[in-house]
Structures are given as C-alpha cells and as structure tokens.
Coordinates of all heavy atoms in Angstrom, one line a residue:
M1 N 109.8 74.4 123.3 CA 110.4 74.6 122.0 C 109.5 75.5 121.2 O 108.3 75.3 121.1 CB 110.6 73.2 121.4 CG 111.3 73.3 120.1 SD 111.6 71.5 119.6 CE 112.3 71.8 118.0
A2 N 110.2 76.5 120.6 CA 109.4 77.5 119.8 C 109.0 76.9 118.5 O 109.7 76.1 117.9 CB 110.3 78.7 119.6
Y3 N 107.8 77.3 118.0 CA 107.3 76.9 116.7 C 108.0 77.6 115.6 O 108.1 78.9 115.6 CB 105.8 77.1 116.6 CG 105.3 76.9 115.2 CD1 105.2 75.6 114.7 CD2 104.9 77.9 114.5 CE1 104.7 75.4 113.4 CE2 104.4 77.8 113.2 CZ 104.3 76.5 112.7 OH 103.8 76.3 111.4
T4 N 108.6 76.9 114.6 CA 109.2 77.6 113.5 C 108.5 77.1 112.2 O 108.5 75.9 111.9 CB 110.7 77.2 113.4 OG1 111.3 77.5 114.6 CG2 111.3 77.9 112.2
P5 N 107.8 78.0 111.5 CA 107.1 77.6 110.3 C 108.0 77.1 109.2 O 109.2 77.5 109.2 CB 106.3 78.8 109.9 CG 106.6 79.9 110.8 CD 107.6 79.4 111.8
D6 N 107.5 76.2 108.4 CA 108.3 75.7 107.3 C 108.5 76.7 106.2 O 109.5 76.7 105.5 CB 107.7 74.4 106.7 CG 107.7 73.3 107.7 OD1 108.5 73.2 108.6 OD2 106.8 72.4 107.5
D7 N 107.6 77.6 106.1 CA 107.6 78.6 105.0 C 107.8 80.0 105.6 O 107.0 80.3 106.5 CB 106.3 78.5 104.2 CG 106.3 79.3 103.0 OD1 107.3 80.1 102.7 OD2 105.3 79.3 102.2
V8 N 108.7 80.7 105.1 CA 109.0 82.0 105.6 C 107.8 82.9 105.5 O 107.6 83.9 106.3 CB 110.3 82.7 105.0 CG1 110.0 83.1 103.6 CG2 110.8 83.8 105.8
S9 N 106.9 82.7 104.5 CA 105.8 83.5 104.3 C 104.7 83.4 105.4 O 103.8 84.2 105.5 CB 105.1 83.2 102.9 OG 104.6 81.9 103.0
Q10 N 104.9 82.3 106.2 CA 104.0 82.1 107.3 C 104.4 82.9 108.6 O 103.7 83.0 109.6 CB 103.9 80.7 107.7 CG 103.3 79.8 106.6 CD 103.3 78.4 106.9 OE1 103.7 78.0 108.0 NE2 102.8 77.6 105.9
I11 N 105.6 83.5 108.6 CA 106.1 84.2 109.7 C 105.4 85.6 109.8 O 105.5 86.3 108.8 CB 107.6 84.4 109.7 CG1 108.3 83.0 109.8 CG2 108.1 85.2 110.9 CD1 109.8 83.0 109.6
P12 N 104.7 85.9 110.8 CA 104.1 87.2 110.8 C 105.1 88.4 110.8 O 106.2 88.3 111.3 CB 103.3 87.2 112.2 CG 104.0 86.2 113.0 CD 104.6 85.2 112.1
D13 N 104.7 89.5 110.2 CA 105.6 90.6 110.1 C 105.3 91.7 111.1 O 105.5 92.8 110.9 CB 105.5 91.2 108.7 CG 104.2 91.7 108.3 OD1 103.2 91.5 109.1 OD2 104.0 92.4 107.3
N14 N 104.7 91.3 112.3 CA 104.4 92.2 113.3 C 105.5 92.2 114.4 O 105.2 92.6 115.6 CB 103.0 92.0 113.9 CG 102.9 90.6 114.5 OD1 103.9 89.8 114.5 ND2 101.8 90.3 115.1
H15 N 106.7 91.8 114.1 CA 107.8 91.8 115.1 C 108.2 93.3 115.3 O 108.2 94.1 114.3 CB 108.9 91.0 114.6 CG 108.6 89.6 114.3 ND1 108.3 88.7 115.3 CD2 108.5 88.9 113.2 CE1 108.1 87.5 114.8 NE2 108.2 87.6 113.5
P16 N 108.5 93.7 116.5 CA 108.9 95.1 116.7 C 110.2 95.5 115.9 O 110.3 96.6 115.5 CB 109.3 95.1 118.2 CG 108.7 93.8 118.8 CD 108.5 92.9 117.7
S17 N 111.0 94.5 115.6 CA 112.3 94.9 114.9 C 112.0 94.9 113.4 O 112.9 95.3 112.6 CB 113.4 93.8 115.2 OG 113.0 92.6 114.8
Y18 N 110.9 94.5 112.9 CA 110.6 94.5 111.5 C 109.9 95.7 111.1 O 108.8 96.0 111.4 CB 109.7 93.3 111.1 CG 109.4 93.2 109.7 CD1 110.3 92.6 108.8 CD2 108.2 93.8 109.1 CE1 110.1 92.6 107.4 CE2 108.0 93.7 107.8 CZ 108.9 93.1 106.9 OH 108.6 93.1 105.6
T19 N 110.7 96.6 110.3 CA 110.1 97.8 109.8 C 110.4 97.8 108.3 O 111.5 97.9 107.8 CB 110.8 99.0 110.4 OG1 110.8 98.9 111.8 CG2 110.2 100.3 109.9
P20 N 109.3 97.5 107.5 CA 109.5 97.4 106.1 C 109.9 98.8 105.5 O 109.5 99.8 106.0 CB 108.2 97.0 105.5 CG 107.2 97.4 106.6 CD 107.9 97.4 107.9
A21 N 110.8 98.7 104.5 CA 111.2 99.9 103.8 C 110.0 100.4 103.0 O 109.2 99.7 102.5 CB 112.4 99.6 102.9
S22 N 110.0 101.7 102.8 CA 108.9 102.3 102.0 C 109.0 101.9 100.5 O 110.1 101.5 100.0 CB 109.0 103.9 102.1 OG 110.1 104.4 101.4
D23 N 107.9 101.9 99.8 CA 107.9 101.5 98.4 C 108.8 102.4 97.6 O 109.5 101.9 96.7 CB 106.5 101.6 97.9 CG 105.6 100.5 98.4 OD1 106.1 99.5 98.9 OD2 104.4 100.7 98.3
S24 N 108.9 103.7 97.9 CA 109.7 104.6 97.1 C 111.2 104.3 97.3 O 112.0 104.3 96.4 CB 109.5 106.1 97.4 OG 109.7 106.3 98.8
E25 N 111.6 103.9 98.5 CA 113.0 103.6 98.8 C 113.4 102.3 98.1 O 114.4 102.2 97.4 CB 113.2 103.4 100.3 CG 113.3 104.6 101.1 CD 113.4 104.3 102.6 OE1 113.3 103.1 103.0 OE2 113.7 105.3 103.3
R26 N 112.5 101.3 98.1 CA 112.7 100.0 97.5 C 112.8 100.2 95.9 O 113.6 99.6 95.3 CB 111.7 99.0 97.9 CG 111.8 98.6 99.3 CD 111.0 97.4 99.7 NE 110.0 96.9 98.8 CZ 108.8 96.7 99.1 NH1 108.3 96.9 100.3 NH2 107.9 96.2 98.2
E27 N 111.9 101.0 95.4 CA 111.9 101.3 94.0 C 113.2 102.0 93.5 O 113.8 101.6 92.5 CB 110.7 102.1 93.6 CG 110.5 102.3 92.1 CD 109.3 103.1 91.7 OE1 108.3 103.1 92.5 OE2 109.2 103.6 90.6
R28 N 113.6 103.0 94.3 CA 114.8 103.7 93.9 C 116.0 102.8 93.9 O 116.8 102.8 93.0 CB 115.0 104.9 94.9 CG 116.2 105.8 94.6 CD 116.3 106.8 95.7 NE 116.3 106.4 97.0 CZ 117.3 105.7 97.7 NH1 118.4 105.5 97.0 NH2 117.1 105.3 98.9
L29 N 116.1 102.0 95.0 CA 117.2 101.1 95.1 C 117.2 100.0 94.0 O 118.2 99.6 93.4 CB 117.3 100.4 96.5 CG 118.5 99.6 96.8 CD1 119.8 100.4 96.6 CD2 118.4 99.1 98.2
T30 N 116.0 99.5 93.7 CA 115.9 98.5 92.6 C 116.4 99.1 91.3 O 117.1 98.4 90.5 CB 114.4 98.1 92.5 OG1 114.0 97.5 93.7 CG2 114.2 97.1 91.3
I31 N 116.0 100.3 91.0 CA 116.5 101.0 89.7 C 118.0 101.1 89.7 O 118.7 100.8 88.7 CB 115.8 102.4 89.5 CG1 114.3 102.2 89.3 CG2 116.5 103.2 88.4 CD1 113.5 103.5 89.3
L32 N 118.6 101.5 90.9 CA 120.0 101.6 91.0 C 120.7 100.2 90.7 O 121.7 100.1 90.0 CB 120.4 102.1 92.4 CG 121.9 102.1 92.7 CD1 122.6 103.3 92.1 CD2 122.1 102.1 94.2
L33 N 120.1 99.2 91.3 CA 120.7 97.9 91.2 C 120.6 97.3 89.8 O 121.5 96.7 89.3 CB 120.1 96.9 92.2 CG 120.5 97.1 93.6 CD1 119.8 96.1 94.5 CD2 122.0 97.0 93.8
H34 N 119.5 97.6 89.1 CA 119.3 97.2 87.7 C 120.3 97.9 86.8 O 120.9 97.3 85.9 CB 117.9 97.4 87.2 CG 116.9 96.4 87.6 ND1 117.0 95.1 87.0 CD2 115.9 96.3 88.5 CE1 116.0 94.4 87.6 NE2 115.4 95.1 88.4
K35 N 120.6 99.2 87.1 CA 121.6 99.9 86.3 C 123.0 99.2 86.5 O 123.8 99.0 85.6 CB 121.7 101.4 86.7 CG 120.5 102.1 86.1 CD 120.6 103.6 86.6 CE 119.4 104.4 86.1 NZ 119.4 105.8 86.5
R36 N 123.3 99.0 87.8 CA 124.6 98.3 88.1 C 124.7 97.0 87.5 O 125.7 96.6 87.0 CB 124.8 98.3 89.6 CG 126.0 97.7 90.1 CD 127.2 98.5 89.7 NE 128.5 97.9 90.2 CZ 129.5 97.6 89.3 NH1 129.4 97.9 88.1 NH2 130.5 97.0 89.8
L37 N 123.6 96.2 87.5 CA 123.6 94.9 86.9 C 123.9 94.9 85.4 O 124.6 94.1 84.9 CB 122.3 94.2 87.2 CG 122.1 92.7 86.7 CD1 123.2 91.8 87.3 CD2 120.7 92.2 87.0
D38 N 123.3 95.9 84.7 CA 123.5 96.1 83.3 C 125.0 96.4 83.1 O 125.6 95.9 82.1 CB 122.7 97.3 82.8 CG 121.2 96.9 82.7 OD1 120.9 95.7 82.7 OD2 120.4 97.9 82.5
Q39 N 125.6 97.2 83.9 CA 127.0 97.5 83.8 C 127.9 96.2 83.9 O 128.8 96.0 83.2 CB 127.5 98.5 84.8 CG 126.9 99.9 84.6 CD 127.2 100.8 85.8 OE1 127.7 100.4 86.8 NE2 126.9 102.1 85.6
V40 N 127.5 95.4 84.9 CA 128.3 94.2 85.2 C 128.1 93.2 84.0 O 129.1 92.6 83.6 CB 127.8 93.6 86.5 CG1 128.4 92.2 86.7 CG2 128.3 94.4 87.7
I41 N 126.9 93.1 83.5 CA 126.7 92.2 82.3 C 127.5 92.7 81.1 O 128.1 91.9 80.4 CB 125.2 92.1 82.0 CG1 124.5 91.4 83.1 CG2 125.0 91.5 80.7 CD1 123.0 91.4 83.0
D42 N 127.5 94.0 80.9 CA 128.3 94.5 79.8 C 129.8 94.2 80.0 O 130.5 93.8 79.0 CB 128.1 96.0 79.6 CG 126.8 96.4 79.1 OD1 126.1 95.5 78.5 OD2 126.4 97.6 79.3
Q43 N 130.3 94.4 81.2 CA 131.7 94.1 81.5 C 132.0 92.6 81.3 O 133.1 92.2 80.9 CB 132.1 94.5 82.9 CG 132.1 96.0 83.0 CD 132.3 96.5 84.5 OE1 132.3 95.7 85.4 NE2 132.6 97.8 84.7
E44 N 131.1 91.7 81.7 CA 131.3 90.3 81.6 C 131.4 89.9 80.1 O 132.1 88.9 79.8 CB 130.1 89.5 82.2 CG 130.1 89.5 83.7 CD 128.9 88.8 84.3 OE1 127.8 88.9 83.7 OE2 129.1 88.1 85.3
Q45 N 130.8 90.6 79.2 CA 130.8 90.3 77.8 C 132.1 90.7 77.1 O 132.3 90.3 75.9 CB 129.6 91.0 77.1 CG 128.3 90.6 77.6 CD 128.0 89.1 77.5 OE1 128.3 88.5 76.5 NE2 127.4 88.5 78.6
Q46 N 132.9 91.5 77.7 CA 134.2 92.0 77.1 C 135.1 90.8 76.9 O 135.3 90.0 77.8 CB 134.8 93.1 78.0 CG 134.0 94.3 78.0 CD 134.7 95.4 79.0 OE1 135.7 95.1 79.6 NE2 134.1 96.5 79.0
A47 N 135.8 90.8 75.8 CA 136.8 89.8 75.5 C 138.1 90.2 76.2 O 138.3 91.4 76.5 CB 137.0 89.7 74.0
G48 N 138.9 89.2 76.5 CA 140.2 89.5 77.1 C 140.2 89.7 78.6 O 141.1 90.2 79.1
L49 N 139.1 89.4 79.3 CA 139.1 89.5 80.7 C 139.9 88.4 81.4 O 139.9 87.3 80.9 CB 137.6 89.3 81.3 CG 136.7 90.5 81.2 CD1 135.3 90.2 81.7 CD2 137.2 91.7 81.9
S50 N 140.6 88.8 82.4 CA 141.4 87.8 83.1 C 140.4 86.9 83.9 O 139.3 87.3 84.1 CB 142.4 88.5 84.0 OG 141.7 89.1 85.1
R51 N 140.9 85.8 84.3 CA 140.1 84.9 85.1 C 139.6 85.5 86.4 O 138.5 85.3 86.8 CB 141.0 83.6 85.4 CG 140.2 82.5 86.1 CD 141.0 81.3 86.2 NE 140.3 80.3 87.0 CZ 140.8 79.6 88.0 NH1 142.0 79.8 88.4 NH2 140.1 78.8 88.7
Q52 N 140.5 86.2 87.1 CA 140.1 86.9 88.3 C 139.1 87.9 88.1 O 138.1 88.0 88.9 CB 141.3 87.5 89.0 CG 142.3 86.6 89.6 CD 143.6 86.5 88.8 OE1 143.7 87.1 87.7 NE2 144.6 85.8 89.3
D53 N 139.2 88.7 87.0 CA 138.2 89.7 86.8 C 136.8 89.1 86.4 O 135.8 89.5 86.9 CB 138.6 90.6 85.6 CG 139.7 91.6 85.9 OD1 139.9 91.8 87.2 OD2 140.4 92.1 85.0
R54 N 136.9 88.0 85.7 CA 135.6 87.3 85.3 C 134.9 86.7 86.6 O 133.7 86.8 86.8 CB 135.9 86.2 84.3 CG 134.6 85.6 83.8 CD 134.9 84.7 82.6 NE 135.6 85.2 81.5 CZ 135.1 86.1 80.6 NH1 133.8 86.5 80.7 NH2 135.8 86.6 79.6
E55 N 135.7 86.1 87.5 CA 135.2 85.6 88.7 C 134.6 86.7 89.6 O 133.6 86.5 90.3 CB 136.3 84.8 89.5 CG 136.6 83.5 88.8 CD 137.8 82.8 89.5 OE1 138.4 83.4 90.4 OE2 138.1 81.7 89.0
R56 N 135.3 87.8 89.7 CA 134.9 89.0 90.5 C 133.5 89.5 89.9 O 132.6 89.7 90.7 CB 135.9 90.1 90.5 CG 135.5 91.3 91.3 CD 136.5 92.4 91.1 NE 136.9 92.8 89.8 CZ 136.1 93.6 89.0 NH1 135.0 94.1 89.5 NH2 136.5 93.9 87.8
L57 N 133.5 89.6 88.6 CA 132.2 90.1 88.0 C 131.1 89.1 88.2 O 129.9 89.5 88.4 CB 132.4 90.3 86.5 CG 133.3 91.6 86.2 CD1 133.6 91.6 84.7 CD2 132.6 92.8 86.6
T58 N 131.4 87.8 88.1 CA 130.4 86.8 88.3 C 129.8 86.9 89.8 O 128.6 86.8 90.0 CB 130.9 85.4 88.1 OG1 131.3 85.3 86.7 CG2 129.9 84.3 88.3
A59 N 130.7 87.0 90.7 CA 130.3 87.2 92.1 C 129.5 88.4 92.3 O 128.5 88.4 93.1 CB 131.5 87.2 93.0
T60 N 129.9 89.5 91.7 CA 129.1 90.8 91.8 C 127.7 90.6 91.2 O 126.7 91.0 91.8 CB 129.8 91.9 91.1 OG1 131.1 92.1 91.7 CG2 129.1 93.2 91.2
H61 N 127.7 89.9 90.1 CA 126.4 89.6 89.4 C 125.5 88.8 90.3 O 124.3 89.2 90.5 CB 126.7 88.8 88.1 CG 125.5 88.6 87.2 ND1 125.6 88.6 85.9 CD2 124.2 88.3 87.5 CE1 124.5 88.4 85.3 NE2 123.6 88.2 86.3
Q62 N 126.0 87.8 90.9 CA 125.2 87.0 91.8 C 124.7 87.8 93.0 O 123.6 87.6 93.5 CB 125.9 85.7 92.2 CG 126.2 84.8 91.1 CD 127.1 83.6 91.5 OE1 127.8 83.7 92.5 NE2 127.1 82.6 90.6
Q63 N 125.6 88.6 93.6 CA 125.2 89.4 94.8 C 124.1 90.4 94.4 O 123.2 90.6 95.2 CB 126.5 90.2 95.3 CG 126.2 91.0 96.5 CD 125.7 90.1 97.7 OE1 126.4 89.2 98.0 NE2 124.6 90.4 98.3
I64 N 124.2 91.1 93.3 CA 123.2 92.0 92.9 C 121.8 91.3 92.7 O 120.8 91.8 93.2 CB 123.6 92.7 91.5 CG1 124.8 93.6 91.8 CG2 122.4 93.5 91.0 CD1 125.4 94.2 90.5
R65 N 121.8 90.1 92.1 CA 120.6 89.4 92.0 C 120.0 89.0 93.3 O 118.8 89.1 93.5 CB 120.8 88.1 91.1 CG 121.0 88.5 89.7 CD 120.5 87.3 88.8 NE 120.7 87.6 87.4 CZ 119.8 88.2 86.6 NH1 118.7 88.5 87.1 NH2 120.1 88.4 85.3
A66 N 120.9 88.6 94.3 CA 120.4 88.3 95.6 C 119.8 89.5 96.3 O 118.8 89.4 97.0 CB 121.6 87.7 96.4
D67 N 120.5 90.7 96.1 CA 120.0 91.9 96.7 C 118.6 92.3 96.1 O 117.7 92.8 96.8 CB 121.0 93.0 96.6 CG 122.2 92.8 97.4 OD1 122.2 92.0 98.4 OD2 123.3 93.3 97.1
L68 N 118.5 92.1 94.8 CA 117.2 92.4 94.2 C 116.1 91.5 94.7 O 115.0 92.0 94.9 CB 117.3 92.3 92.6 CG 118.0 93.4 91.9 CD1 118.4 93.0 90.5 CD2 117.2 94.7 91.9
T69 N 116.4 90.3 94.9 CA 115.5 89.3 95.5 C 115.1 89.8 96.9 O 113.9 89.7 97.3 CB 116.0 87.9 95.5 OG1 116.4 87.5 94.2 CG2 115.1 86.9 96.1
A70 N 116.0 90.2 97.7 CA 115.7 90.6 99.1 C 114.8 91.8 99.1 O 113.9 91.9 99.9 CB 117.0 91.0 99.8
I71 N 115.0 92.7 98.1 CA 114.2 93.9 98.0 C 112.8 93.5 97.6 O 111.8 94.0 98.1 CB 114.8 95.0 97.1 CG1 116.1 95.5 97.7 CG2 113.8 96.1 96.8 CD1 116.9 96.3 96.7
R72 N 112.7 92.7 96.6 CA 111.4 92.2 96.0 C 110.5 91.6 97.1 O 109.3 91.8 97.1 CB 111.7 91.2 94.9 CG 110.4 90.8 94.2 CD 110.6 89.9 93.0 NE 111.7 90.3 92.1 CZ 112.8 89.7 91.9 NH1 113.1 88.5 92.4 NH2 113.7 90.2 91.0
Y73 N 111.2 90.9 98.0 CA 110.4 90.1 99.0 C 110.3 90.9 100.4 O 110.3 90.2 101.4 CB 110.9 88.7 99.2 CG 110.6 87.9 97.9 CD1 111.6 87.5 97.1 CD2 109.3 87.5 97.6 CE1 111.4 86.8 95.9 CE2 109.1 86.8 96.4 CZ 110.1 86.5 95.6 OH 109.8 85.8 94.5
G74 N 110.3 92.2 100.3 CA 110.0 93.0 101.5 C 111.2 93.2 102.4 O 111.1 93.0 103.6
A75 N 112.2 93.8 101.9 CA 113.4 94.1 102.7 C 113.0 95.2 103.8 O 112.2 96.0 103.6 CB 114.5 94.7 101.8
T76 N 113.7 95.0 104.9 CA 113.5 96.0 106.0 C 114.3 97.2 105.7 O 115.1 97.3 104.8 CB 114.0 95.4 107.3 OG1 115.4 95.2 107.3 CG2 113.2 94.1 107.7
E77 N 114.0 98.3 106.5 CA 114.8 99.5 106.3 C 116.2 99.3 106.5 O 117.1 99.8 105.8 CB 114.3 100.6 107.3 CG 112.9 101.2 107.0 CD 112.5 102.2 108.0 OE1 113.2 102.5 108.9 OE2 111.4 102.7 107.8
R78 N 116.6 98.5 107.5 CA 118.0 98.2 107.8 C 118.6 97.5 106.6 O 119.8 97.8 106.2 CB 118.1 97.3 109.0 CG 119.5 97.0 109.4 CD 119.5 96.1 110.7 NE 120.9 95.8 111.0 CZ 121.2 94.8 111.8 NH1 120.2 94.2 112.5 NH2 122.4 94.5 112.1
T79 N 118.0 96.5 106.0 CA 118.5 95.8 104.8 C 118.7 96.7 103.7 O 119.7 96.7 103.0 CB 117.6 94.6 104.4 OG1 117.4 93.8 105.6 CG2 118.1 93.9 103.3
V80 N 117.8 97.6 103.4 CA 117.9 98.6 102.3 C 119.1 99.5 102.6 O 119.9 99.8 101.7 CB 116.6 99.4 102.2 CG1 116.8 100.6 101.3 CG2 115.5 98.5 101.7
R81 N 119.3 100.0 103.8 CA 120.4 100.8 104.1 C 121.8 100.1 103.9 O 122.7 100.6 103.3 CB 120.4 101.3 105.5 CG 119.4 102.5 105.7 CD 119.6 103.1 107.1 NE 119.6 102.2 108.2 CZ 118.6 101.9 108.9 NH1 117.4 102.3 108.7 NH2 118.7 101.0 110.0
E82 N 121.8 98.8 104.3 CA 123.0 98.0 104.1 C 123.3 97.8 102.6 O 124.5 97.9 102.2 CB 122.9 96.6 104.8 CG 122.9 96.7 106.3 CD 122.6 95.4 106.9 OE1 122.3 94.4 106.2 OE2 122.6 95.3 108.2
I83 N 122.3 97.5 101.8 CA 122.5 97.4 100.4 C 123.0 98.7 99.7 O 123.9 98.7 98.9 CB 121.2 96.8 99.7 CG1 120.9 95.4 100.2 CG2 121.3 96.9 98.2 CD1 119.5 94.9 99.8
E84 N 122.3 99.8 100.1 CA 122.8 101.1 99.6 C 124.2 101.3 99.9 O 125.0 101.8 99.1 CB 121.9 102.2 100.2 CG 120.5 102.3 99.6 CD 119.7 103.4 100.3 OE1 119.9 103.7 101.5 OE2 118.9 104.0 99.6
R85 N 124.7 101.1 101.1 CA 126.1 101.3 101.5 C 127.0 100.4 100.7 O 128.1 100.8 100.3 CB 126.3 100.9 103.0 CG 126.2 102.2 103.9 CD 126.6 101.9 105.3 NE 125.4 102.1 106.1 CZ 124.8 101.2 106.8 NH1 125.2 100.0 107.0 NH2 123.7 101.6 107.5
R86 N 126.6 99.2 100.4 CA 127.4 98.3 99.7 C 127.7 98.8 98.2 O 128.8 98.7 97.7 CB 126.7 96.9 99.6 CG 127.5 95.8 98.9 CD 126.8 94.5 98.9 NE 126.4 94.1 100.2 CZ 125.2 93.6 100.5 NH1 124.3 93.3 99.5 NH2 124.8 93.3 101.7
Y87 N 126.7 99.4 97.6 CA 126.8 99.8 96.2 C 127.2 101.3 96.1 O 127.6 101.7 95.0 CB 125.6 99.5 95.4 CG 125.4 98.1 95.3 CD1 124.5 97.4 96.1 CD2 126.1 97.3 94.4 CE1 124.4 96.0 96.1 CE2 126.0 96.0 94.3 CZ 125.1 95.3 95.2 OH 125.0 93.9 95.1
R88 N 127.1 102.1 97.2 CA 127.5 103.5 97.1 C 129.0 103.6 97.0 O 129.5 104.5 96.4 CB 127.0 104.2 98.4 CG 126.8 105.6 98.2 CD 126.1 106.3 99.3 NE 124.7 106.2 99.0 CZ 123.7 106.4 99.8 NH1 124.0 106.8 101.0 NH2 122.5 106.4 99.5
S89 N 129.8 102.7 97.6 CA 131.2 102.8 97.6 C 131.8 102.3 96.3 O 133.0 102.5 96.0 CB 131.8 101.9 98.7 OG 131.5 100.5 98.5
R90 N 131.0 101.8 95.4 CA 131.5 101.2 94.1 C 131.4 102.3 93.0 O 130.6 103.0 92.8 CB 130.8 100.0 93.7 CG 131.0 98.9 94.6 CD 130.3 97.6 94.2 NE 130.5 96.6 95.2 CZ 130.1 95.4 95.1 NH1 129.4 95.0 94.1 NH2 130.3 94.5 96.0

C-alpha cells in the first residue's frame, strides 16, 4: 500500500509530470482573473437580475476564486493553460 501524506504540502514536487508554471505566467493570469472577478462583482451588484443570472454569476465568482487559489498554490503549466482557455472564450 502506497503512503499518502495527510497534508498536500508534504507531497514532493519532483514528480516527472509536475512542471510548475513560471512566475510571469502565473502573475499575468492572476491579473486577468482579478479583472474578471471585478467585472463579475459589479454585475452581481446590479438591481433587477434574474434568479438564473444571479446564480450563474455566483458560480462564476466561486470558480474564479478557486482558480486564483490554484494559481497561488503552485499551479502546473497544464493547469494554467486550462484556466487560460476557460476565460479566453468569455
């Protein structure tokens, strides 16, 4: 049975499939996501939103926060590319 640490911070990052994204890529994407988050927050504050629009914006808000967290804690190049694709189409 393989050992699985209780804390993800104990997992070594020397796996062949783990390639951390460069600081500049992560910083650029973080700025993009913060701008998008500001837009979503502004839209959430508008009066007269339908229930579906409010739920959609809430889900988008939560997803952006989750993506920012992933970037903050050392997203891989692959994760950064997936996040970029997700927001490029919007």
Side-chain angles (χ1 to χ4, degrees):
M1 184 170 178
Y3 169 73
T4 305
D6 293 335
D7 186 356
V8 73
S9 65
Q10 296 176 2
I11 298 173
D13 61 352
N14 60 358
H15 300 292
S17 63
Y18 180 83
T19 308
S22 70
D23 289 341
S24 62
E25 287 177 348
R26 290 189 354 229
E27 183 177 342
R28 182 182 50 77
L29 187 55
T30 299
I31 291 169
L32 173 80
L33 289 178
H34 277 290
K35 287 180 182 179
R36 180 67 182 124
L37 182 61
D38 289 343
Q39 293 171 350
V40 169
I41 290 171
D42 289 343
Q43 290 174 348
E44 286 177 324
Q45 301 301 319
Q46 293 177 358
L49 279 177
S50 69
R51 183 173 176 230
Q52 288 109 353
D53 287 340
R54 189 168 305 284
E55 289 173 355
R56 179 184 54 80
L57 288 170
T58 300
T60 301
H61 186 144
Q62 292 171 347
Q63 182 63 53
I64 292 171
R65 289 210 180 267
D67 292 339
L68 284 167
T69 300
I71 293 167
R72 185 179 309 120
Y73 292 108
T76 63
E77 287 181 1
R78 180 178 177 194
T79 304
V80 167
R81 283 193 310 267
E82 289 171 0
I83 293 171
E84 283 179 331
R85 263 187 246 122
R86 187 178 307 137
Y87 294 99
R88 206 167 270 171
S89 62
R90 294 180 183 182

